Amino acid sequence: PAYANRTTAPKAASPKVFIVDLPRGASRETIEGLKTLLAKYPGKLPVELRVLQNGSTKLVATPLTVDGSTELDEAVQSLFARA
């Protein structure tokens, strides 16, 4: 499954938000790695974390903005695959 997706808008539209599905039980080290990784791809898309909390999904806004590139998406997936 994809850990990051870049849009809450229809596929034909430009993405409005970069959403990262934070794996359940992600370590502090993984979260810090994610923050460092996101900082390497500055841009205009706000970053939101999708977290599972008490059996439901919650979106958490962050102060970060990224470019939303395919390279970033792949790097996030790779980071979580190593965690």
PDB file of all heavy atoms in Angstrom, residues 22-45:
ATOM      1  N   LEU A  22       1.056   7.640   8.562  1.00  0.00           N
ATOM      2  CA  LEU A  22       2.062   7.280   9.555  1.00  0.00           C
ATOM      3  C   LEU A  22       1.799   5.855  10.030  1.00  0.00           C
ATOM      4  O   LEU A  22       0.706   5.554  10.499  1.00  0.00           O
ATOM      5  CB  LEU A  22       1.986   8.260  10.729  1.00  0.00           C
ATOM      6  CG  LEU A  22       3.181   8.315  11.653  1.00  0.00           C
ATOM      7  CD1 LEU A  22       4.431   8.732  10.893  1.00  0.00           C
ATOM      8  CD2 LEU A  22       2.918   9.290  12.779  1.00  0.00           C
ATOM      9  N   PRO A  23       2.806   4.966   9.901  1.00  0.00           N
ATOM     10  CA  PRO A  23       2.592   3.588  10.327  1.00  0.00           C
ATOM     11  C   PRO A  23       2.287   3.511  11.826  1.00  0.00           C
ATOM     12  O   PRO A  23       2.843   4.271  12.622  1.00  0.00           O
ATOM     13  CB  PRO A  23       3.926   2.896  10.031  1.00  0.00           C
ATOM     14  CG  PRO A  23       4.633   3.778   9.073  1.00  0.00           C
ATOM     15  CD  PRO A  23       4.142   5.168   9.353  1.00  0.00           C
ATOM     16  N   ARG A  24       1.411   2.587  12.190  1.00  0.00           N
ATOM     17  CA  ARG A  24       1.082   2.389  13.597  1.00  0.00           C
ATOM     18  C   ARG A  24       2.355   2.001  14.347  1.00  0.00           C
ATOM     19  O   ARG A  24       3.141   1.191  13.885  1.00  0.00           O
ATOM     20  CB  ARG A  24       0.055   1.275  13.732  1.00  0.00           C
ATOM     21  CG  ARG A  24      -0.434   1.099  15.150  1.00  0.00           C
ATOM     22  CD  ARG A  24      -1.325  -0.074  15.318  1.00  0.00           C
ATOM     23  NE  ARG A  24      -2.208  -0.271  14.165  1.00  0.00           N
ATOM     24  CZ  ARG A  24      -3.414  -0.765  14.239  1.00  0.00           C
ATOM     25  NH1 ARG A  24      -3.906  -1.131  15.385  1.00  0.00           N
ATOM     26  NH2 ARG A  24      -4.145  -0.921  13.158  1.00  0.00           N
ATOM     27  N   GLY A  25       2.568   2.628  15.486  1.00  0.00           N
ATOM     28  CA  GLY A  25       3.731   2.309  16.308  1.00  0.00           C
ATOM     29  C   GLY A  25       5.032   2.860  15.767  1.00  0.00           C
ATOM     30  O   GLY A  25       6.103   2.380  16.135  1.00  0.00           O
ATOM     31  N   ALA A  26       4.964   3.874  14.893  1.00  0.00           N
ATOM     32  CA  ALA A  26       6.193   4.462  14.349  1.00  0.00           C
ATOM     33  C   ALA A  26       7.054   4.993  15.488  1.00  0.00           C
ATOM     34  O   ALA A  26       6.561   5.648  16.404  1.00  0.00           O
ATOM     35  CB  ALA A  26       5.848   5.587  13.372  1.00  0.00           C
ATOM     36  N   SER A  27       8.331   4.680  15.431  1.00  0.00           N
ATOM     37  CA  SER A  27       9.254   5.114  16.482  1.00  0.00           C
ATOM     38  C   SER A  27       9.561   6.598  16.339  1.00  0.00           C
ATOM     39  O   SER A  27       9.367   7.198  15.275  1.00  0.00           O
ATOM     40  CB  SER A  27      10.553   4.314  16.388  1.00  0.00           C
ATOM     41  OG  SER A  27      11.257   4.663  15.203  1.00  0.00           O
ATOM     42  N   ARG A  28      10.078   7.153  17.410  1.00  0.00           N
ATOM     43  CA  ARG A  28      10.511   8.557  17.378  1.00  0.00           C
ATOM     44  C   ARG A  28      11.572   8.735  16.294  1.00  0.00           C
ATOM     45  O   ARG A  28      11.576   9.732  15.572  1.00  0.00           O
ATOM     46  CB  ARG A  28      11.060   8.969  18.741  1.00  0.00           C
ATOM     47  CG  ARG A  28      11.533  10.412  18.786  1.00  0.00           C
ATOM     48  CD  ARG A  28      12.035  10.812  20.154  1.00  0.00           C
ATOM     49  NE  ARG A  28      10.975  10.819  21.131  1.00  0.00           N
ATOM     50  CZ  ARG A  28      10.201  11.866  21.407  1.00  0.00           C
ATOM     51  NH1 ARG A  28      10.374  12.987  20.740  1.00  0.00           N
ATOM     52  NH2 ARG A  28       9.276  11.803  22.326  1.00  0.00           N
ATOM     53  N   GLU A  29      12.455   7.753  16.161  1.00  0.00           N
ATOM     54  CA  GLU A  29      13.503   7.809  15.140  1.00  0.00           C
ATOM     55  C   GLU A  29      12.899   7.877  13.731  1.00  0.00           C
ATOM     56  O   GLU A  29      13.354   8.646  12.883  1.00  0.00           O
ATOM     57  CB  GLU A  29      14.399   6.575  15.283  1.00  0.00           C
ATOM     58  CG  GLU A  29      15.541   6.537  14.300  1.00  0.00           C
ATOM     59  CD  GLU A  29      16.405   5.309  14.520  1.00  0.00           C
ATOM     60  OE1 GLU A  29      17.163   5.288  15.506  1.00  0.00           O
ATOM     61  OE2 GLU A  29      16.303   4.374  13.701  1.00  0.00           O
ATOM     62  N   THR A  30      11.869   7.083  13.478  1.00  0.00           N
ATOM     63  CA  THR A  30      11.200   7.093  12.177  1.00  0.00           C
ATOM     64  C   THR A  30      10.538   8.440  11.922  1.00  0.00           C
ATOM     65  O   THR A  30      10.631   8.997  10.818  1.00  0.00           O
ATOM     66  CB  THR A  30      10.160   5.962  12.089  1.00  0.00           C
ATOM     67  OG1 THR A  30      10.833   4.709  12.224  1.00  0.00           O
ATOM     68  CG2 THR A  30       9.407   5.994  10.772  1.00  0.00           C
ATOM     69  N   ILE A  31       9.893   8.984  12.933  1.00  0.00           N
ATOM     70  CA  ILE A  31       9.219  10.280  12.781  1.00  0.00           C
ATOM     71  C   ILE A  31      10.244  11.384  12.531  1.00  0.00           C
ATOM     72  O   ILE A  31      10.038  12.251  11.679  1.00  0.00           O
ATOM     73  CB  ILE A  31       8.335  10.572  14.002  1.00  0.00           C
ATOM     74  CG1 ILE A  31       7.186   9.549  14.048  1.00  0.00           C
ATOM     75  CG2 ILE A  31       7.804  12.004  13.973  1.00  0.00           C
ATOM     76  CD1 ILE A  31       6.389   9.549  15.324  1.00  0.00           C
ATOM     77  N   GLU A  32      11.368  11.344  13.249  1.00  0.00           N
ATOM     78  CA  GLU A  32      12.426  12.335  13.010  1.00  0.00           C
ATOM     79  C   GLU A  32      12.999  12.170  11.600  1.00  0.00           C
ATOM     80  O   GLU A  32      13.291  13.152  10.923  1.00  0.00           O
ATOM     81  CB  GLU A  32      13.534  12.205  14.062  1.00  0.00           C
ATOM     82  CG  GLU A  32      13.130  12.734  15.425  1.00  0.00           C
ATOM     83  CD  GLU A  32      12.798  14.213  15.420  1.00  0.00           C
ATOM     84  OE1 GLU A  32      13.473  15.007  14.723  1.00  0.00           O
ATOM     85  OE2 GLU A  32      11.836  14.592  16.122  1.00  0.00           O
ATOM     86  N   GLY A  33      13.153  10.914  11.157  1.00  0.00           N
ATOM     87  CA  GLY A  33      13.626  10.660   9.795  1.00  0.00           C
ATOM     88  C   GLY A  33      12.664  11.212   8.755  1.00  0.00           C
ATOM     89  O   GLY A  33      13.080  11.772   7.738  1.00  0.00           O
ATOM     90  N   LEU A  34      11.370  11.080   9.030  1.00  0.00           N
ATOM     91  CA  LEU A  34      10.354  11.614   8.127  1.00  0.00           C
ATOM     92  C   LEU A  34      10.459  13.136   8.055  1.00  0.00           C
ATOM     93  O   LEU A  34      10.434  13.717   6.971  1.00  0.00           O
ATOM     94  CB  LEU A  34       8.954  11.204   8.587  1.00  0.00           C
ATOM     95  CG  LEU A  34       7.791  11.782   7.800  1.00  0.00           C
ATOM     96  CD1 LEU A  34       7.824  11.322   6.341  1.00  0.00           C
ATOM     97  CD2 LEU A  34       6.469  11.408   8.454  1.00  0.00           C
ATOM     98  N   LYS A  35      10.614  13.761   9.198  1.00  0.00           N
ATOM     99  CA  LYS A  35      10.726  15.226   9.234  1.00  0.00           C
ATOM    100  C   LYS A  35      11.945  15.696   8.435  1.00  0.00           C
ATOM    101  O   LYS A  35      11.857  16.633   7.640  1.00  0.00           O
ATOM    102  CB  LYS A  35      10.835  15.685  10.693  1.00  0.00           C
ATOM    103  CG  LYS A  35      10.874  17.166  10.868  1.00  0.00           C
ATOM    104  CD  LYS A  35      10.914  17.522  12.339  1.00  0.00           C
ATOM    105  CE  LYS A  35      11.047  19.004  12.552  1.00  0.00           C
ATOM    106  NZ  LYS A  35      11.145  19.354  13.967  1.00  0.00           N
ATOM    107  N   THR A  36      13.066  15.012   8.613  1.00  0.00           N
ATOM    108  CA  THR A  36      14.282  15.353   7.874  1.00  0.00           C
ATOM    109  C   THR A  36      14.081  15.151   6.381  1.00  0.00           C
ATOM    110  O   THR A  36      14.475  15.994   5.563  1.00  0.00           O
ATOM    111  CB  THR A  36      15.456  14.491   8.384  1.00  0.00           C
ATOM    112  OG1 THR A  36      15.650  14.756   9.769  1.00  0.00           O
ATOM    113  CG2 THR A  36      16.732  14.778   7.619  1.00  0.00           C
ATOM    114  N   LEU A  37      13.452  14.036   6.021  1.00  0.00           N
ATOM    115  CA  LEU A  37      13.198  13.732   4.613  1.00  0.00           C
ATOM    116  C   LEU A  37      12.297  14.789   3.977  1.00  0.00           C
ATOM    117  O   LEU A  37      12.581  15.302   2.892  1.00  0.00           O
ATOM    118  CB  LEU A  37      12.560  12.355   4.494  1.00  0.00           C
ATOM    119  CG  LEU A  37      12.192  11.896   3.091  1.00  0.00           C
ATOM    120  CD1 LEU A  37      13.436  11.731   2.237  1.00  0.00           C
ATOM    121  CD2 LEU A  37      11.427  10.595   3.151  1.00  0.00           C
ATOM    122  N   LEU A  38      11.207  15.128   4.642  1.00  0.00           N
ATOM    123  CA  LEU A  38      10.276  16.124   4.102  1.00  0.00           C
ATOM    124  C   LEU A  38      10.961  17.473   3.895  1.00  0.00           C
ATOM    125  O   LEU A  38      10.673  18.180   2.929  1.00  0.00           O
ATOM    126  CB  LEU A  38       9.060  16.263   5.019  1.00  0.00           C
ATOM    127  CG  LEU A  38       8.157  15.029   5.115  1.00  0.00           C
ATOM    128  CD1 LEU A  38       7.099  15.236   6.195  1.00  0.00           C
ATOM    129  CD2 LEU A  38       7.515  14.695   3.786  1.00  0.00           C
ATOM    130  N   ALA A  39      11.882  17.820   4.787  1.00  0.00           N
ATOM    131  CA  ALA A  39      12.595  19.102   4.673  1.00  0.00           C
ATOM    132  C   ALA A  39      13.471  19.162   3.422  1.00  0.00           C
ATOM    133  O   ALA A  39      13.798  20.252   2.944  1.00  0.00           O
ATOM    134  CB  ALA A  39      13.434  19.348   5.923  1.00  0.00           C
ATOM    135  N   LYS A  40      13.827  18.007   2.857  1.00  0.00           N
ATOM    136  CA  LYS A  40      14.667  17.954   1.657  1.00  0.00           C
ATOM    137  C   LYS A  40      13.876  18.225   0.379  1.00  0.00           C
ATOM    138  O   LYS A  40      14.460  18.336  -0.692  1.00  0.00           O
ATOM    139  CB  LYS A  40      15.343  16.587   1.551  1.00  0.00           C
ATOM    140  CG  LYS A  40      16.365  16.345   2.631  1.00  0.00           C
ATOM    141  CD  LYS A  40      16.980  14.974   2.473  1.00  0.00           C
ATOM    142  CE  LYS A  40      17.987  14.706   3.579  1.00  0.00           C
ATOM    143  NZ  LYS A  40      18.580  13.363   3.461  1.00  0.00           N
ATOM    144  N   TYR A  41      12.550  18.306   0.494  1.00  0.00           N
ATOM    145  CA  TYR A  41      11.683  18.511  -0.672  1.00  0.00           C
ATOM    146  C   TYR A  41      10.765  19.724  -0.443  1.00  0.00           C
ATOM    147  O   TYR A  41       9.545  19.592  -0.436  1.00  0.00           O
ATOM    148  CB  TYR A  41      10.838  17.255  -0.923  1.00  0.00           C
ATOM    149  CG  TYR A  41      11.654  16.060  -1.348  1.00  0.00           C
ATOM    150  CD1 TYR A  41      12.252  15.233  -0.412  1.00  0.00           C
ATOM    151  CD2 TYR A  41      11.826  15.764  -2.698  1.00  0.00           C
ATOM    152  CE1 TYR A  41      13.001  14.129  -0.795  1.00  0.00           C
ATOM    153  CE2 TYR A  41      12.573  14.666  -3.097  1.00  0.00           C
ATOM    154  CZ  TYR A  41      13.159  13.860  -2.142  1.00  0.00           C
ATOM    155  OH  TYR A  41      13.891  12.770  -2.544  1.00  0.00           O
ATOM    156  N   PRO A  42      11.342  20.905  -0.231  1.00  0.00           N
ATOM    157  CA  PRO A  42      10.496  22.070   0.055  1.00  0.00           C
ATOM    158  C   PRO A  42       9.587  22.414  -1.119  1.00  0.00           C
ATOM    159  O   PRO A  42       9.930  22.176  -2.275  1.00  0.00           O
ATOM    160  CB  PRO A  42      11.513  23.186   0.319  1.00  0.00           C
ATOM    161  CG  PRO A  42      12.732  22.757  -0.426  1.00  0.00           C
ATOM    162  CD  PRO A  42      12.739  21.245  -0.365  1.00  0.00           C
ATOM    163  N   GLY A  43       8.430  22.930  -0.789  1.00  0.00           N
ATOM    164  CA  GLY A  43       7.479  23.317  -1.821  1.00  0.00           C
ATOM    165  C   GLY A  43       6.287  24.020  -1.204  1.00  0.00           C
ATOM    166  O   GLY A  43       6.383  24.565  -0.108  1.00  0.00           O
ATOM    167  N   LYS A  44       5.161  23.979  -1.900  1.00  0.00           N
ATOM    168  CA  LYS A  44       3.980  24.732  -1.470  1.00  0.00           C
ATOM    169  C   LYS A  44       2.860  23.864  -0.910  1.00  0.00           C
ATOM    170  O   LYS A  44       1.884  24.394  -0.393  1.00  0.00           O
ATOM    171  CB  LYS A  44       3.450  25.554  -2.639  1.00  0.00           C
ATOM    172  CG  LYS A  44       4.439  26.610  -3.082  1.00  0.00           C
ATOM    173  CD  LYS A  44       3.877  27.502  -4.154  1.00  0.00           C
ATOM    174  CE  LYS A  44       4.910  28.557  -4.516  1.00  0.00           C
ATOM    175  NZ  LYS A  44       4.377  29.550  -5.410  1.00  0.00           N
ATOM    176  N   LEU A  45       2.975  22.527  -1.013  1.00  0.00           N
ATOM    177  CA  LEU A  45       1.901  21.661  -0.515  1.00  0.00           C
ATOM    178  C   LEU A  45       2.019  21.461   0.989  1.00  0.00           C
ATOM    179  O   LEU A  45       3.054  20.998   1.471  1.00  0.00           O
ATOM    180  CB  LEU A  45       1.957  20.286  -1.181  1.00  0.00           C
ATOM    181  CG  LEU A  45       1.573  20.194  -2.634  1.00  0.00           C
ATOM    182  CD1 LEU A  45       1.768  18.764  -3.130  1.00  0.00           C
ATOM    183  CD2 LEU A  45       0.146  20.625  -2.842  1.00  0.00           C
TER     184      LEU A  45
END
